[in-house]
Structure formats: C-alpha cells, structure tokens
C-alpha cells in the first residue's frame, strides 16, 4: 500500500542507522523491530478481520524490497515474518484469534524444515525437535515449525506426512548463541527447541492446504491473494528480501563512488570500467525486479478472475524467481569487484550488503539447480524430481 511505502521511506535513515547495532546484537535492534511494526509491513498480507490490510502480494513484496535497500537484515525479517500472516490467515480461526486476538502486531517466526516429530495424542500431537534459522525469533511470540507425523511408538509414518505446527513462545526455547554468521547477522535466525509440547489439532496444518485458496475459502476468506500457491508466495518473500539487498548494494556503490578520488587524483566515477559495470548492474537488478513482480501480478489476475494456475505456470514462475536472484547477485558481484579496497572496510555499507546478499543466496528458495531441473523435466515430459514444491 502507498501509505506503507511512504512510512518506510520516512524511516529510511533510521533503518540504515540501526544496521550496525543489529549486526552486533545478532538480531534486529528493538528500535528496528518497532519501526517494522510502525510502518505496517508485517500486516500487509494479514486478514482485515485481525487488523491487516489484505493487500496485493506485490504491495508486500515492494515494501520488503524497499526496507532491504536500507537494511539487509531488516528486509530479510520483514520478508520472512511478513509472509506468515498470508499462511496464517487461511488456518482455523481459533488459532488466528489466539495469535492476533489481543495484538494484531504479533510476530510469528518459522523454520519450516521438517525436523520435528509429532506423536498423536488425544486432541492433537506431542511434538519435539530442534530447528535452525528461526528468523526474527527474538521479537516473535509464536513460531511455525515443520515436522513429520509418527505412529504411537514414535516411528515416522510411511509415506512420510509433513505438517506445520504452530506454537506459542512458552512452548519452545531459543538457543541464544546459535547465530554466529557472516551475513544477515541482524536477522537473528537462531535455533529453537521444542520438548514434548502439546499442539492441538487446529494448530497443525498441511502445506498442501495452501496451494489454491481452498483453505481460505473454507473459512470465508475470498481475497485472491490467498488463492496463490504457497510454493510461489513464500519463495517470493525470500526473493523480495534478496532483491532489496541487491538494490541497497547498488545505492551504496553510487554513494561511495560519487565522491571517490583515485590515487592519481581523478574522479573514480569517470572511470569507464566503473560506469560500464554500474550500468549493467543497474539494468540486471531492475530486470530481476520487473520480471518477478510481473509474474506475481499475472498469476494474481488469473486467480482473481476465478481461474486456476497450471503446474507449468507455477514451475515457470519459480524458474524466473531463481534466475532473478542469480542475476541480481552476479550484478552486485561485478560492482563489488570494481569498488576498490576501500569497499571491504567495515564502515562501508557496501560490504555489508555484499555479505548479506551472499548469505541470502544460501536459502533453499534461492537455490537454482533443482528448479531448473524441474522446468527442464516438465518441458520434455520427464518425471519431476522429488522435493520441489510448487
């Protein structure tokens, strides 16, 4: 929404200013977390019934990118934590009321990897496990955790049944010293542990329920955003965070280079290699952004008109998403290689954006090869590789 983007731009200087503190803390500073609450980005995809905006997904993605241009870690948290209300807005309303009933600004973290084990018990499951990468966990009051169902003896069912389990903060613990990393340091993506917590049935969901809007319509939500597939929207949040960091790197390069003077007393900005590298990078980053948002809008228009997305459309969109991330990273690498030795100093924002960007590329959603393999296999009628969700 325009008002959210306006708030972000007004908060730009403060977002940038708190980046060092967030890195040092290994989590977002309290001031940064409050800024994200104040601008409203986390509520963009949240149901209006619980204080959200129910915005077009691209409005959310653009807000995430804008935050990322000022602070990579803040943009990452905004993307990951901010996409959760989209999923949670489609679950049993009892759970939604528990999460947002008293505070619509409640944050929910999420390691989705199915490291947990859930043994059936009366009314739900007894759940245990340990997960890395719980982004924004220090400022969250709930978490969504991936896990597999077991039988009464604790053996994983065959075939495996993966579910998402939603727990309040009192049912899990955070491993304080589990986030010592080279990039996205301020995201605070720490480990969490659950020890034999009871999770009621209505807070246990199958990711397949979020593939076409069926879950949302079952509880009376007909916003087209909820008819888009999880396998596009969640990776889209990761990509938006990544592209925001790339745009931040581009802006940092401009700021650093504008007044830089070479050892020969000449303006570095007049160096033809600097100019060519900058222009090519700007074009590639802009192309990645445009390609991504265009795909999302096209899919939104299909579901808004009552249509459904084909598997081919979904696979193509994911192909474009991973290509957009790779294109943007290549562009920033070229910039960084031409920025000179001063760019590696810790007081230069460019090095932080470069580190954050490469950390972002280690997220599973940005790994290109499985997606490209799936697209190629689909095109030539070959069996699709396992484990890729669309």
């Amino acid at each position: 929404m325009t008002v959210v983007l306006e708030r972000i731009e007004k908060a730009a200087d403060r977002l940038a200013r708190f980046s060092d503190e967030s890195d040092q803390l290994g989590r977002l500073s309290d001031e940064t977390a409050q800024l994200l609450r104040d601008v409203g980005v986390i509520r963009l995809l949240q149901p209006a019934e619980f204080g959200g905006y129910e915005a077009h997904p691209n409005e959310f993605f653009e807000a995430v990118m804008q935050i990322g241009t000022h602070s990579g870690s803040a943009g990452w948290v905004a993307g990951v934590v901010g996409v959760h209300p989209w999923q949670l807005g489609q679950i049993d309303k009892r759970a939604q009321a528990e999460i947002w009933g008293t505070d619509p600004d409640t944050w929910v973290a999420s390691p989705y990897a199915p490291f947990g084990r859930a043994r059936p018990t009366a009314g739900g499951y007894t759940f245990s496990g340990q997960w890395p990468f719980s982004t924004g966990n220090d400022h969250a009051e709930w978490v969504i955790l991936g896990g597999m169902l077991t039988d009464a003896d604790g053996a994983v069912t065959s075939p495996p049944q993966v579910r998402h389990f939603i727990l309040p903060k009192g049912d899990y613990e955070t491993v304080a010293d589990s986030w010592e990393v080279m990039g996205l340091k301020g995201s605070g993506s720490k480990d969490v542990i659950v020890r034999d917590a009871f999770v009621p049935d209505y807070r246990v969901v199958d990711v397949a329920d979020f593939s076409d809007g069926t879950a949302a319509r079952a509880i009376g939500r007909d916003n087209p955003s909820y008819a888009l597939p999880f396998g596009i929207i969640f990776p889209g949040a990761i990509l938006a965070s990544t592209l925001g960091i790339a745009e931040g790197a581009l802006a940092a390069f401009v700021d650093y280079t504008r007044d830089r003077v070479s050892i020969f007393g000449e303006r570095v900005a007049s160096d033809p290699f600097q100019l060519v590298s900058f222009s090519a990078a700007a074009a590639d980053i802009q192309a990645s952004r445009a390609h991504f948002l265009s795909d999302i809008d096209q899919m939104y228009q299909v579901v808004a008109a009552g249509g459904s997305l084909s598997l081919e459309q979904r696979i193509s969109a994911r192909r474009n998403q991973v290509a957009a991330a790779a294109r943007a990273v290549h562009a920033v690498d070229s910039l960084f290689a031409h920025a000179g030795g001063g760019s590696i100093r810790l007081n230069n924002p460019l090095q932080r954006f470069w580190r954050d960007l490469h950390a972002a590329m280690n997220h599973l959603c940005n790994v290109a090869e499985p997606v490209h393999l799936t697209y190629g296999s689909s095109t030539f009628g070959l069996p699709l590789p396992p484990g890729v969700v669309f």
Side-chain angles (χ1 to χ4, degrees):
M1 298 182 72
T2 301
V3 66
V4 174
L5 293 176
E6 290 175 350
R7 291 172 188 158
I8 293 169
E9 199 50 43
K10 290 178 181 177
D13 290 344
R14 286 176 291 165
L15 285 168
R17 189 166 67 248
F18 295 136
S19 292
D20 277 334
E21 181 184 358
S22 293
D23 273 13
Q24 292 164 9
L25 290 170
R27 60 169 176 82
L28 290 188
S29 68
D30 293 342
E31 293 86 351
T32 302
Q34 189 59 49
L35 278 175
L36 295 189
R37 289 188 171 91
D38 291 343
V39 300
V41 60
I42 307 299
R43 289 189 283 119
L44 277 171
L45 300 181
Q46 194 162 307
E49 179 182 356
F50 291 100
Y53 294 109
E54 289 193 31
H56 188 298
N58 276 354
E59 295 175 350
F60 168 68
F61 294 139
E62 288 188 89
V64 169
M65 285 187 274
Q66 190 170 351
I67 291 169
T69 64
H70 307 299
S71 168
S73 288
W76 191 261
V77 172
V80 175
V81 175
V83 79
H84 295 150
W86 173 87
Q87 179 185 12
L88 296 171
Q90 303 177 60
I91 65 174
D92 192 302
K93 286 192 178 182
R94 287 176 291 177
Q96 295 183 49
E98 287 179 342
I99 296 168
W100 296 312
T102 58
D103 183 3
D105 282 318
T106 297
W107 285 15
V108 183
S110 79
Y112 283 120
F115 293 145
R117 296 296 180 263
R119 181 169 45 83
T121 190
Y125 298 87
T126 300
F127 190 50
S128 297
Q130 180 166 348
W131 296 258
F133 310 129
S134 184
T135 294
N137 193 74
D138 288 281
H139 294 97
E141 295 298 324
W142 290 74
V143 70
I144 308 171
L145 299 170
M148 296 184 183
L149 304 187
T150 73
D151 61 22
D153 297 321
V156 173
T157 62
S158 181
Q161 300 179 70
V162 177
R163 298 290 185 269
H164 291 169
F165 299 79
I166 305 163
L167 292 80
K169 196 165 193 172
D171 288 351
Y172 62 93
E173 60 187 86
T174 300
V175 182
D177 59 352
S178 57
W179 188 240
E180 298 293 335
V181 290
M182 54 75 68
L184 294 174
K185 298 173 72 172
S187 69
S189 303
K190 299 173 182 176
D191 288 16
V192 296
I193 298 174
V194 175
R195 307 180 197 276
D196 293 327
F198 171 72
V199 185
D201 287 327
Y202 66 88
R203 286 203 256 114
V204 179
V205 296
D206 186 342
V207 69
D209 293 342
F210 311 106
S211 63
D212 60 3
T214 302
R217 288 191 293 272
I219 60 170
R221 300 209 193 288
D222 57 4
N223 187 310
S225 293
Y226 298 126
L228 292 170
F230 179 92
I232 296 296
I233 293 296
F234 182 77
I238 298 300
L239 176 59
S241 304
T242 305
L243 294 181
I245 297 169
E247 291 178 332
L250 186 68
F253 177 86
V254 171
D255 288 344
Y256 175 54
T257 304
R258 179 175 284 114
D259 299 321
R260 187 175 158 219
V261 178
S262 75
I263 59 173
F264 302 107
E266 298 173 345
R267 287 190 66 202
V268 171
S270 65
D271 179 348
F273 296 106
Q274 297 272 346
L275 298 177
V276 169
S277 175
F278 167 68
S279 178
D284 283 344
I285 292 170
Q286 184 176 347
S288 292
R289 178 191 182 101
H291 206 176
F292 166 46
L293 295 177
S294 175
D295 276 351
I296 294 294
D297 190 58
Q298 288 178 30
M299 289 185 286
Y300 181 91
Q301 297 305 325
V302 169
V303 299
S308 57
L309 300 171
S310 68
L311 180 61
E312 290 73 19
Q313 287 174 302
R314 299 178 185 206
I315 293 174
S316 294
R318 280 294 291 133
R319 175 204 65 190
N320 294 344
Q321 286 181 346
V322 295
R327 187 187 304 122
V329 171
H330 176 75
V332 172
D333 281 349
S334 177
L335 282 179
F336 197 64
H338 287 87
S343 64
I344 68 173
R345 296 186 183 280
L346 293 180
N347 64 355
N348 189 327
L350 182 55
Q351 55 79 28
R352 181 193 298 112
F353 283 113
W354 185 84
R355 288 187 291 104
D356 288 348
L357 189 60
H358 279 272
M361 288 303 290
N362 280 278
H363 194 286
L364 179 63
C365 289
N366 280 336
V367 177
E369 288 79 5
V371 178
H372 288 318
L373 176 60
T374 301
Y375 177 77
S377 299
S378 174
T379 299
F380 292 104
L382 303 173
L384 300 185
V388 182
V389 177
F390 296 99

